[in-house]
Amino acid sequence: MSGSEQTPETDLSAAVPDPEDGLPPAEAFALLGNETRIDILQALWRAPEQPVAFSALRKRVGMRDSAQFNYHLSKLTDHFVRSTDDGYEFQYAGEKVVRAILAGTFTDRVSLEFPVAGECFDCGAALEGRYSDERLGVRCSACETTYGRYAFPPGGLRDRTDAEVASAFDQRVRHLHCLAADGVCPECGGRVATDITPDDEDRLDLDVRVDHTCEQCQHTISSPVGLSLLDDSTVVAFHADHGVDLTSTEHWTLSWCVTDETTSYDPGRDRAVVGITLDDETLTVTLDGDLRVVDTDRRCDSDGDHTATA
């Protein structure tokens, strides 16, 4: 397996601060446990402009009883929507609730398989996308070697062809890792710690892996070291020089990106080295423990000529 996301069970009361003016999580979810309140949030979302006046919002929900409507709206106010002089508009939390509904995160259950570009680096068989448990992964259709499996909301499957789903998944994986490598949790926005470590647990069937772990929610993204180089300017330029547009190439078709066959790790120096070969030239990239590129070396395999950058 070349990459994965993990969200281990944790004690939320210990991991998340409880501000004095905050709302306890159980109470927040209880406020949403009513069909009318969900209808209010969805009606506010569909409104062409915000703020929306009380009477206009009530008509959009289709509720005749003004007092009853006001009761449910008041339960949402100050936490999911805010009241202004001109009407009601979203708080960030309210937007997140509606987006989760539209994404199908809490409601849809989908399982499917479809062909994707590329061949297995182990056996050469065709690859396929497999979607289950709100996660999408790429794996070999024959030997079942997995080349990454990450969270992908069910809504991302709607109105897309197989090729469009694969492209969206590729871009999402790049986005998740860019955020995590920059120290921002893609789930909660918390601070992320990055570690390069031997894969002693055989979590990804690699010799060495990268763990991005949020210090707040404990969400973890694990992957091969090479995946962090997808947007590195030297790596992008190296591929461009060989006629490869790295931005439009599915990451799972790049062996250096989803395996560690050309990756080595020196735990004493906390340095990882990734080799990328195209045609008769090899680019060697050295990274430190925070995934910062500290050295690159381009060498022509035929005559030994090379260019190094420190």
Side-chain angles (χ1 to χ4, degrees), residues 8-55:
E9 293 185 1
T10 185
D11 180 2
L12 291 178
S13 62
V16 181
D18 185 19
E20 293 181 2
D21 59 348
L23 190 66
E27 185 176 342
F29 283 105
L31 289 177
L32 297 171
N34 179 279
E35 185 176 355
T36 297
R37 295 170 199 171
I38 296 298
D39 288 344
I40 291 173
L41 293 176
Q42 291 181 298
L44 188 59
W45 181 272
R46 290 191 293 266
E49 295 181 355
Q50 292 187 28
V52 181
F54 177 90
S55 58

Side-chain angles (χ1 to χ4, degrees), residues 5 103-111 131-136 149-154 172:
E5 284 182 303
T105 303
F106 303 120
T107 55
D108 294 2
R109 291 295 177 267
V110 182
S111 296
Y131 189 85
S132 62
D133 300 325
E134 292 73 58
R135 283 172 168 74
L136 179 57
R149 187 170 184 264
Y150 299 93
F152 192 82
R172 178 176 171 81

Side-chain angles (χ1 to χ4, degrees), residues 200-219:
D200 297 332
E201 307 167 8
D202 291 327
R203 184 181 299 175
L204 303 180
D205 194 24
L206 300 169
D207 292 327
V208 58
R209 72 174 191 268
V210 172
D211 288 341
H212 300 290
T213 303
C214 177
E215 297 175 359
Q216 179 167 265
C217 73
Q218 301 304 303
H219 178 72

Side-chain angles (χ1 to χ4, degrees), residues 44-272:
L44 188 59
W45 181 272
R46 290 191 293 266
E49 295 181 355
Q50 292 187 28
V52 181
F54 177 90
S55 58
L57 187 57
R58 180 172 60 84
K59 289 179 181 179
R60 284 184 169 275
V61 174
M63 194 169 189
R64 295 183 177 180
D65 189 329
S66 179
Q68 187 72 3
F69 179 78
N70 183 61
Y71 168 77
H72 289 295
L73 180 58
S74 67
K75 292 295 184 181
L76 298 172
T77 304
D78 295 333
H79 301 294
F80 300 101
V81 302
R82 67 168 60 90
S83 176
T84 72
D85 292 341
D86 297 319
Y88 293 85
E89 62 185 11
F90 273 115
Q91 298 267 44
Y92 177 71
E95 291 183 341
K96 289 289 289 184
V97 170
V98 178
R99 287 195 176 103
I101 293 171
L102 295 174
T105 303
F106 303 120
T107 55
D108 294 2
R109 291 295 177 267
V110 182
S111 296
L112 59 88
E113 297 177 3
F114 55 94
V116 297
E119 297 179 348
C120 177
F121 296 111
D122 286 341
C123 72
L127 299 179
E128 65 181 9
R130 168 171 285 193
Y131 189 85
S132 62
D133 300 325
E134 292 73 58
R135 283 172 168 74
L136 179 57
V138 173
R139 70 170 198 168
C140 175
S141 58
C143 70
E144 299 190 358
T145 297
T146 301
Y147 297 105
R149 187 170 184 264
Y150 299 93
F152 192 82
L157 305 174
R158 299 184 193 129
D159 301 320
R160 279 188 171 134
T161 65
D162 292 346
E164 289 171 337
V165 170
S167 178
F169 176 65
D170 176 49
Q171 293 303 316
R172 178 176 171 81
V173 170
R174 293 168 185 256
H175 172 71
L176 290 174
H177 281 83
C178 280
L179 274 177
D182 287 340
V184 180
C185 177
E187 290 292 320
C188 76
R191 189 187 306 275
V192 170
T194 295
D195 294 298
I196 300 177
T197 180
D199 192 21
D200 297 332
E201 307 167 8
D202 291 327
R203 184 181 299 175
L204 303 180
D205 194 24
L206 300 169
D207 292 327
V208 58
R209 72 174 191 268
V210 172
D211 288 341
H212 300 290
T213 303
C214 177
E215 297 175 359
Q216 179 167 265
C217 73
Q218 301 304 303
H219 178 72
T220 298
I221 303 177
S222 299
S223 70
V225 176
L227 193 58
S228 66
L229 297 175
L230 276 171
D231 63 346
D232 179 79
S233 58
T234 302
V235 175
V236 172
F238 176 69
H239 282 78
D241 289 345
H242 289 271
V244 179
D245 181 2
L246 200 56
T247 63
S248 62
T249 302
E250 292 90 345
H251 70 274
W252 58 81
T253 65
L254 305 164
S255 62
W256 56 267
C257 187
V258 293
T259 77
D260 64 352
E261 293 178 359
T262 61
T263 300
S264 60
Y265 177 60
D266 182 349
R269 299 178 60 232
D270 199 17
R271 292 289 189 270

